[in-house]
Amino acid sequence: MAYDGSAYDGHIPRILSQHEQDIVSDALAEFSELQLYRSNFAAQWEEVAELILPSQRNTFFYQNTNMPGSKKTDRQIDATGMMALNRFAAICDSLLTPRNSFWHGLEANDDYVMKDRATRLWFEQVSRLLFRFRYSPEGNFSANNQAVFQSLGAFGTGCMFVDEFDGKLTNTRGLRYKALPIGEVFLRENHQGLVDGYIRWFQLTARQAEQRWKGMLPASLHAALEKKSEAKFNFLHRVCPRTDYDEERLDAKGKPWSSCYVSIEGQCIMGEEGGYNSFPITASRYDQAPNEIYGRGPAMQILPALKTLNAQKRTFLKQAHRAADPVLLLADDGIMDFNLRPGAMNKGGMSSDGKPLVGVLPTGDIQVSKEMMDVEHQLINDAFLVTLFQILTETPQMTATEVIERTNEKGILLAPTVGRQQSEYLGPLIDRELDLLASQGLLPPMPPRLKEAKGEYKVVYTSPLSRAAKAQEAAGFMRTVESVKELVSITQDVSLLDRFDFDTAIPAIAHIAAVPESWLADDDKVAAKRKRRAEAAQRQEQIQAAPAAAALAKANIEARKANPQ
């Protein structure tokens, strides 16, 4: 509720139990340790943010403060890295999660269960429900997904928080997504290298905290609430595996992950201890070094190139400025107060024999600076995968085989890096979404056979990246057809092509190339086309054979006349 301006009604000071004190103590101790382990990353992230994502500057250390609207681009000279980062996020989105297509489906783990038509229809219906809630206006998945990919490219780690949509006012159910700024999230891993817990640091005013946890404010925040102060206070949200988990319980202890909010100023728990049935965030890493929790993104890998380009651009601007507005050199006894206005006349600037007495200070070879910058531009675009998507536009005149070969090359280059996001980001994300929809009763009842299989499922990715990974098969088929075609030209033996099953290969190649199913003819239409073509060929043969048949009939008639017997 909003504060009405009256004096705070003075809740009785809360007395924490020993259990609550232990929770607060553990959370603060873990937060302090996680800050220490993350400090080196935070320093590098700050350097990266200055160059390519200035909106994130000064957000990576605990208790950093930023005045709204403060200028953050004063360290940025060249914008190539920032533009490449935006394109990297768009590339990841188009490859992994294109909004204009279904980029994944669901299937049962057991192939026998998938033979059941009711099961197949159930998975199709659930997949459509997922996409409907995911891309609904309330969910806001697209914007937050783009922010995750931006964080992945700049800092090597992206985190998405997924929760039920709080639709109390509108009576709306569904999903809600929130891309967590990496500066607020402190991760931890289990013994298998999986992120199994985190602490999120965030700030709220006393008024906002009272709205969030009505009647639970610690005494240290009462004065700020009464004064309507907009001062920020520090809070922690800690999520970790529950040590006292009991699956038969219906309260918070019946959930595998514990959740608690802690007020740092008040040294107390805000609200009640809660929990989650599934891990609420998906933390994806671009590339990981040994013994590190956080990832290293393209920007961190080419940070020297970004800093070099920034320095080169500064020098280039100085050279260009001097070339456009040169420094003049005058003789000791030459003209003073030189007038540079258009049409001005400067007496004494030339000797009596026509020799200029005014020279220009050499500015150096500005072309060299431009060539040096172009080298860094290319390196940055390569790191952010931009050049991979310039191939088709730069070479528009290509055969179908060349297009498939280029697609195959893209798939080979992209699969090891971007493909990791399917296992670390999208897989856990889909699991979390299904858990939330099931808890809200938004999934249809399972068919009997799937229920017997305990609802086990797997995700089948159909994104452009997944199709590109299969392009090698199409490329191999086209290469073989091209080779056999040359042999047919040499030997004139068309039977060499009989080895190819074009009826099977062509639909598969079309699927890899993302041709819509509605653009392809089904088996009945293909059979009808072939029947009509065969009938037309037969009629053409009859037409072509008609003169010969008529001549033969005429010859037979004349022969019978000449020899009646």
Side-chain angles (χ1 to χ4, degrees):
M1 75 176 179
Y3 180 59
D4 60 3
S6 61
Y8 191 73
D9 58 4
H11 290 287
I12 298 175
R14 297 167 53 197
I15 300 177
L16 301 182
S17 66
Q18 186 61 45
H19 177 65
E20 291 176 324
Q21 293 179 25
D22 292 341
I23 291 177
V24 173
S25 177
D26 290 345
L28 294 177
E30 183 179 13
F31 179 55
S32 178
E33 193 169 7
L34 292 179
Q35 285 185 71
L36 177 64
Y37 289 151
R38 211 194 71 171
S39 58
N40 288 336
F41 275 99
Q44 292 189 61
W45 294 340
E46 184 66 28
E47 286 189 82
V48 171
E50 288 178 355
L51 296 174
I52 67 172
L53 197 58
S55 60
Q56 297 285 333
R57 278 184 58 186
N58 199 34
T59 62
F60 306 109
F61 293 95
Y62 172 56
Q63 287 192 332
N64 280 342
T65 57
N66 292 277
M67 287 297 294
S70 58
K71 185 177 181 180
K72 293 190 174 185
T73 57
D74 53 298
R75 304 284 182 87
Q76 190 181 38
I77 306 299
D78 187 87
T80 301
M82 184 170 65
M83 296 301 297
L85 176 63
N86 290 334
R87 291 171 181 170
F88 172 84
I91 289 169
C92 290
D93 188 29
S94 64
L95 285 176
L96 294 167
T97 57
R99 183 168 184 171
N100 60 349
S101 66
F102 288 93
W103 43 268
H104 77 84
L106 299 172
E107 291 183 1
N109 275 340
D110 191 341
D111 293 338
Y112 172 75
V113 177
M114 282 301 294
K115 293 180 180 180
D116 179 38
R117 175 174 171 78
T119 299
R120 295 197 303 271
L121 292 175
W122 187 86
F123 277 120
E124 180 180 347
Q125 184 180 2
V126 170
S127 297
R128 292 185 179 278
L129 280 174
L130 265 177
F131 277 88
R132 191 184 81 188
F133 285 111
R134 182 183 294 145
Y135 288 102
S136 66
E138 295 82 10
N140 197 23
F141 172 77
S142 295
N144 288 281
N145 186 49
Q146 191 79 359
V148 169
F149 288 138
Q150 267 196 336
S151 179
L152 192 70
F155 313 120
T157 306
C159 298
M160 177 78 85
F161 181 83
V162 190
D163 203 4
E164 296 180 7
F165 179 71
D166 186 5
K168 296 177 182 177
L169 298 178
T170 59
N171 195 25
T172 303
R173 295 182 297 173
L175 304 172
R176 181 65 182 176
Y177 301 85
K178 173 62 178 175
L180 301 181
I182 189 61
E184 296 182 358
V185 183
F186 298 79
L187 302 176
R188 49 176 276 184
E189 286 183 339
N190 64 7
H191 64 288
Q192 293 183 319
L194 298 175
V195 175
D196 70 338
Y198 70 93
I199 291 180
R200 182 194 172 204
W201 163 66
F202 60 99
Q203 293 182 316
L204 295 174
T205 65
R207 173 182 56 83
Q208 292 169 336
E210 173 66 11
Q211 291 173 337
R212 176 67 176 82
W213 301 285
K214 182 179 178 182
M216 300 294 290
L217 284 186
S220 57
L221 273 66
H222 291 182
L225 182 66
E226 293 174 356
K227 295 178 182 179
K228 303 181 182 178
S229 171
E230 290 298 307
K232 299 282 188 177
F233 297 91
N234 299 292
F235 298 89
L236 300 179
H237 181 206
R238 185 193 187 201
V239 177
C240 61
R242 186 178 295 280
T243 56
D244 54 353
Y245 171 59
D246 183 358
E247 62 180 3
E248 295 183 356
R249 297 189 58 157
L250 300 178
D251 57 2
K253 292 185 178 180
K255 298 180 178 180
W257 275 271
S258 68
S259 169
C260 68
Y261 290 88
V262 174
S263 170
I264 295 181
E265 282 80 7
Q267 299 281 300
C268 64
I269 293 179
M270 303 299 294
E272 298 181 354
E273 184 182 2
Y276 297 101
N277 286 321
S278 55
F279 196 52
I281 72 166
T282 57
S284 178
R285 283 74 61 92
Y286 188 81
D287 186 28
Q288 274 185 283
N291 301 318
E292 291 183 352
I293 296 177
Y294 301 92
R296 294 174 181 260
M300 297 176 68
Q301 295 170 351
I302 59 165
L303 183 57
L306 291 169
K307 297 170 76 172
T308 299
L309 181 59
N310 221 42
Q312 289 174 341
K313 185 65 172 286
R314 186 180 286 109
T315 303
F316 179 80
L317 291 175
K318 288 181 180 178
Q319 286 183 302
H321 191 189
R322 288 171 181 168
D325 189 8
V327 177
L328 302 180
L329 302 177
L330 305 176
D332 289 342
D333 56 350
I335 187 172
M336 302 297 291
D337 298 328
F338 204 78
N339 190 348
L340 296 178
R341 290 179 300 176
M345 301 178 64
N346 291 284
K347 297 182 179 180
M350 183 178 293
S351 64
S352 58
D353 57 353
K355 182 180 179 180
L357 300 179
V358 180
V360 177
L361 180 68
T363 59
D365 189 355
I366 195 171
Q367 186 63 30
V368 173
S369 297
K370 186 178 184 304
E371 292 174 357
M372 293 172 62
M373 290 172 59
D374 288 341
V375 172
E376 304 301 333
H377 288 157
Q378 181 69 27
L379 182 61
I380 292 170
N381 286 329
D382 284 345
F384 285 106
L385 311 179
V386 175
T387 52
L388 286 176
F389 288 81
Q390 293 175 343
I391 297 174
L392 295 179
T393 57
E394 292 175 355
T395 54
Q397 300 297 327
M398 291 190 295
T399 65
T401 303
E402 289 174 334
V403 171
I404 292 177
E405 288 287 354
R406 294 294 176 88
T407 305
N408 180 35
E409 292 174 2
K410 286 184 182 182
I412 293 173
L413 294 172
L414 292 170
T417 52
V418 182
R420 177 174 179 167
Q421 309 315 311
Q422 290 182 342
S423 59
E424 277 202 349
Y425 176 42
L426 300 180
L429 177 76
I430 295 170
D431 291 341
R432 173 66 175 164
E433 292 169 331
L434 289 173
D435 176 66
L436 292 174
L437 293 179
S439 65
Q440 298 177 79
L442 296 176
L443 295 183
M446 284 188 186
R449 184 172 294 183
L450 182 60
K451 189 176 295 184
E452 291 177 4
K454 299 181 180 179
E456 294 184 354
Y457 65 93
K458 63 182 178 182
V459 181
V460 180
Y461 294 103
T462 56
S463 63
L465 180 64
S466 300
R467 292 194 297 268
K470 299 178 181 179
Q472 188 171 1
E473 301 173 4
F477 181 83
M478 295 301 295
R479 283 195 298 267
T480 307
V481 171
E482 291 287 342
S483 300
V484 174
K485 188 175 71 172
E486 294 297 326
L487 294 176
V488 171
S489 299
I490 296 172
T491 63
Q492 299 300 313
D493 184 4
V494 184
S495 65
L496 294 176
L497 295 173
D498 294 341
R499 289 286 181 181
F500 299 104
D501 186 358
F502 290 103
D503 285 344
T504 301
I506 291 176
I509 295 174
H511 177 71
I512 292 172
V515 177
E517 186 68 27
S518 59
W519 293 9
L520 300 174
D522 57 20
D523 293 342
D524 294 338
K525 290 182 180 179
V526 171
K529 289 179 180 179
R530 289 176 177 174
K531 182 180 179 181
R532 289 195 298 268
R533 188 161 53 247
E535 292 175 349
Q538 185 178 4
R539 287 194 299 269
Q540 185 64 27
E541 290 177 359
Q542 291 174 351
I543 293 172
Q544 292 177 350
L552 180 61
K554 182 178 180 181
N556 289 334
I557 292 173
E558 291 177 353
R560 284 196 296 269
K561 288 181 179 179
N563 187 7
Q565 296 180 353

